[in-house]
Amino acid sequence: MKITKICCIGAGYVGGPTMAVIAQKCPHIQVTVVDLNEQRIKDWNDPNTDNIPIYEPGLSEIVAEARNRNLFFSTEVEKAIDEAQVIFISVNTPTKTYGKGKGMAADLKYIELCARQIAKVAKQNKIVVEKSTLPVRTAEAIKSILDNTGNGVQFQILSNPEFLAEGTAVTDLLNPDRILIGGDTTPEGQNAINALVDVYANWVDKDKILTTNVWSSELSKLTANAFLAQRISSINAMSELCEKTGADVTEVARAIGMDSRIGSKFLKASVGFGGSCFQKDILNLVYIAKSYGLNEVADYWEQVIIMNDHQKRRFSNKIVQTLYNTVADKKITFLGWAFKKDTNDTRESAAIYIADDLINEQAKISVYDPKVSRNKMLSDLDYLQTRSNEENSNSLAIFDNAYEACKGSHAIAVLTEWDEFTTYDWKKIYDSMHKPAFLFDGRNILNAKEVEAIGFIYKGIGS
Ligand code: UDX
Ligand code: ADP
């Protein structure tokens, strides 16, 4: 089977960039990305591609090249499903906020809705690809819905997890370490796998395209994220010990990273990992392990989250303690709100939790982030439901210039590692602040000696 029409349900951080790259690399395939959110689709269709809703380096250029050639963004979900041979499901699967598995299990209501919609509309055989991160055996549930509510057409379900990291989505998609495709071992399943392999083979070496069964593929995604997050929690655990003993975590990370068995990546101590995947996927893993009665397995992985929560709390405590045990009515400036640099995504960003802690201590928070909108920051805080929306907006002042944001503040907290923060005139910032001026570097991106020479009282992570 030769694929000529693809539909992707969900125009978010995964669906948008992934489909843009498929469209760019496969001009012979028509790619339609659909979403229920009309504003989001409108933004993807903005004539100025700098205004597309997702910021990723290199993405707006690719959209400019492929859009309205073979890449389309639309709200006509049913039409796109009907026309396509392959349907990617890239809708969000947040952690459940209600009922059984609350706070742990993935909320599959959006996935189920998609499956029902596909079943209703499909009049020909289709390949359905799970792209969102999903608990193991979700494909089975999708299959059951499709087979039992469909119009008698054949569905093949593939798992094709996305390993792109935000901020580097385009380069990750163009040069993936590997592509993973899981499918049924039946001849029909193998045909579906081969059809999808052919799509990726337009730009990815065949030896980087791995095929396996559906469950191995689903579990590989959760495992990859759990291992990555575990490295961060491991180095963050060491950061606290370094602070007590006089060791320097950056030196420790460098020393262990040169051991080729350990490797140097993902060893940056930080204020804690954020993002839409790590916490959610590990909680999923924990939930699955518990549901099979594997309590030791569940506890082992849950500790990665416990350590991460501790690291965030430790950072806000450190600010309060250093500022003479009170931040009430003090202005504290956050540089960065996104969960990492080069993205406008803020899901699970450490900044949200640090702000929440400090507002509880009655601090006044000022924020500057190069890409995150004011509304996003406020809705992130409101989502925690710690206090009224009005109280949040009174406690959070948002600036579009870092120098203005820092003026008159008692302390600065660097919470995202945006490159531009390292290029600032820190003397000028120091001069505009209350004295003593404190600088809490939650990302260890500034040169401690240099800023201390200016006069700052500097506190990094793990030294
Ligand atoms: C992650 C996975 O990397 C990706 O493969 C998967 O598909 C989705 O989840 P993402 O969440 O976009 O990607 O970002 P990632 O680069 O993994 O960073 C996650 C968090 O960890 C960020 O908050 C980042 O700042 C933090 N981090 C990362 C550290 O604190 N230290 C590090 O050394 C690396
Ligand atoms: P991710 O990081 O997984 O891509 P996002 O939240 O950025 O998550 O994107 C998911 C998108 O999926 C959202 O834009 C949401 O509106 C969309 N979506 C959710 N359910 C459906 C559905 N049934 N049909 C179409 N779009 C949907």
Side-chain angles (χ1 to χ4, degrees):
M1 178 188 184
K2 189 120 190 76
I3 293 170
T4 53
K5 282 188 178 163
I6 289 177
C7 156
C8 172
I9 308 181
Y13 283 90
V14 172
T18 309
M19 292 304 127
V21 168
I22 291 183
Q24 189 207 28
K25 291 294 176 186
C26 311
H28 55 286
I29 300 179
Q30 179 184 314
V31 181
T32 307
V33 190
V34 291
D35 203 296
L36 295 173
N37 183 333
E38 286 180 19
Q39 185 59 44
R40 209 163 210 187
I41 291 298
K42 208 165 148 224
D43 293 341
W44 278 109
N45 282 320
D46 194 297
N48 179 355
T49 52
D50 287 339
N51 297 334
I52 56 176
I54 284 167
Y55 173 71
E56 279 291 338
L59 181 60
S60 90
E61 291 82 350
I62 292 182
V63 171
E65 179 188 330
R67 197 177 57 189
N68 298 332
R69 178 189 73 189
N70 63 325
L71 174 65
F72 301 91
F73 295 93
S74 159
T75 50
E76 291 183 283
V77 180
E78 299 200 345
K79 178 165 177 277
I81 292 173
D82 181 32
E83 289 177 352
Q85 300 134 322
V86 179
I87 300 151
F88 284 83
I89 303 185
S90 298
V91 301
N92 36 340
T93 52
T95 305
K96 272 185 89 172
T97 53
Y98 54 88
K100 188 160 179 283
K102 176 180 171 185
M104 261 198 187
D107 193 338
L108 298 180
K109 67 179 178 198
Y110 304 109
I111 296 279
E112 178 167 342
L113 210 77
C114 281
R116 290 189 186 279
Q117 214 160 7
I118 296 169
K120 190 177 102 190
V121 174
K123 295 191 274 306
Q124 285 128 20
N125 296 353
K126 309 253 178 224
I127 299 173
V128 176
V129 185
E130 333 176 303
K131 200 67 182 157
S132 325
T133 315
L134 296 166
V136 183
R137 303 218 155 190
T138 302
E140 216 174 33
I142 298 179
K143 186 157 181 47
S144 157
I145 294 169
L146 290 175
D147 289 346
N148 291 304
T149 59
N151 306 315
V153 301
Q154 293 287 312
F155 293 102
Q156 281 303 320
I157 321 291
L158 301 180
S159 157
N160 171 217
E162 189 50 75
F163 294 106
L164 67 82
E166 288 173 36
T168 52
V170 170
T171 48
D172 291 347
L173 285 161
L174 291 173
N175 300 301
D177 286 345
R178 78 320 205 168
I179 298 285
L180 183 59
I181 302 173
D184 272 359
T185 45
T186 57
E188 295 81 9
Q190 294 302 305
N191 285 342
I193 291 178
N194 291 339
L196 192 57
V197 168
D198 287 344
V199 173
Y200 284 108
N202 282 296
W203 78 98
V204 181
D205 283 348
K206 276 249 168 94
D207 56 5
K208 285 192 176 167
I209 307 179
L210 307 180
T211 60
T212 178
N213 70 37
V214 175
W215 300 327
S216 300
S217 170
E218 289 178 332
L219 190 57
S220 299
K221 168 75 187 202
L222 294 185
T223 309
N225 279 345
F227 270 60
L228 289 168
Q230 183 192 43
R231 280 176 75 94
I232 304 170
S233 277
S234 298
I235 200 71
N236 281 345
M238 291 306 157
S239 76
E240 188 170 13
L241 194 56
C242 287
E243 287 169 28
K244 290 280 182 240
T245 57
D248 180 336
V249 77
T250 314
E251 297 293 308
V252 173
R254 189 155 68 118
I256 66 163
M258 284 174 76
D259 184 324
S260 59
R261 293 166 304 175
I262 298 175
S264 62
K265 291 180 181 157
F266 258 70
L267 283 180
K268 276 197 211 96
S270 71
V271 58
F273 60 74
S276 66
C277 285
F278 284 174
Q279 172 154 324
K280 184 190 81 179
D281 290 355
I282 293 173
L283 288 173
N284 255 319
L285 200 58
V286 170
Y287 187 72
I288 294 166
K290 277 198 180 143
S291 69
Y292 286 107
L294 308 178
N295 292 328
E296 290 78 8
V297 177
D299 290 349
Y300 180 76
W301 288 109
E302 191 169 17
Q303 193 59 36
V304 173
I305 303 287
I306 294 172
M307 187 63 225
N308 196 50
D309 288 339
H310 171 66
Q311 188 77 346
K312 291 183 268 188
R313 184 62 33 88
R314 199 166 80 73
F315 190 81
S316 44
N317 283 344
K318 189 192 280 187
I319 295 179
V320 176
Q321 276 166 14
T322 313
L323 267 64
Y324 316 109
N325 285 317
T326 174
V327 289
D329 291 322
K330 288 180 182 167
K331 177 175 171 183
I332 298 177
T333 301
F334 285 12
L335 293 182
W337 188 269
F339 82 96
K340 63 188 278 197
K341 73 173 180 178
D342 292 337
T343 179
N344 60 348
D345 194 353
T346 62
R347 285 175 287 182
E348 291 301 329
S349 180
I352 305 167
Y353 297 93
I354 309 291
D356 192 51
D357 285 350
L358 295 177
I359 295 172
N360 279 344
E361 294 289 334
Q362 301 186 353
K364 296 284 178 207
I365 308 292
S366 295
V367 195
Y368 165 73
D369 185 289
K371 292 286 174 194
V372 179
S373 73
R374 181 190 164 77
N375 287 346
K376 191 85 215 21
M377 294 182 199
L378 280 172
S379 71
D380 286 340
L381 262 185
D382 291 343
Y383 188 74
L384 297 182
Q385 297 188 338
T386 314
R387 61 190 79 73
S388 72
N389 301 5
E390 196 190 345
E391 283 170 295
N392 280 334
S393 65
N394 289 337
S395 305
L396 202 69
I398 297 156
F399 291 80
D400 51 19
N401 171 308
Y403 292 91
E404 287 303 315
C406 293
K407 214 177 261 177
S409 63
H410 291 79
I412 294 171
V414 177
L415 295 175
T416 312
E417 70 281 23
W418 286 101
D419 290 337
E420 67 173 64
F421 299 162
T422 62
T423 67
Y424 287 172
D425 181 346
W426 282 98
K427 171 82 172 72
K428 184 171 160 192
I429 292 175
Y430 176 80
D431 287 341
S432 75
M433 289 174 64
H434 261 279
K435 304 294 173 326
F438 296 89
L439 186 46
F440 297 89
D441 188 351
R443 296 287 180 167
N444 288 349
I445 57 170
L446 299 173
N447 183 317
K449 289 213 174 71
E450 277 174 28
V451 291
E452 278 169 353
I454 293 170
F456 279 107
I457 299 174
Y458 176 89
K459 303 256 178 219
I461 300 271
S463 61

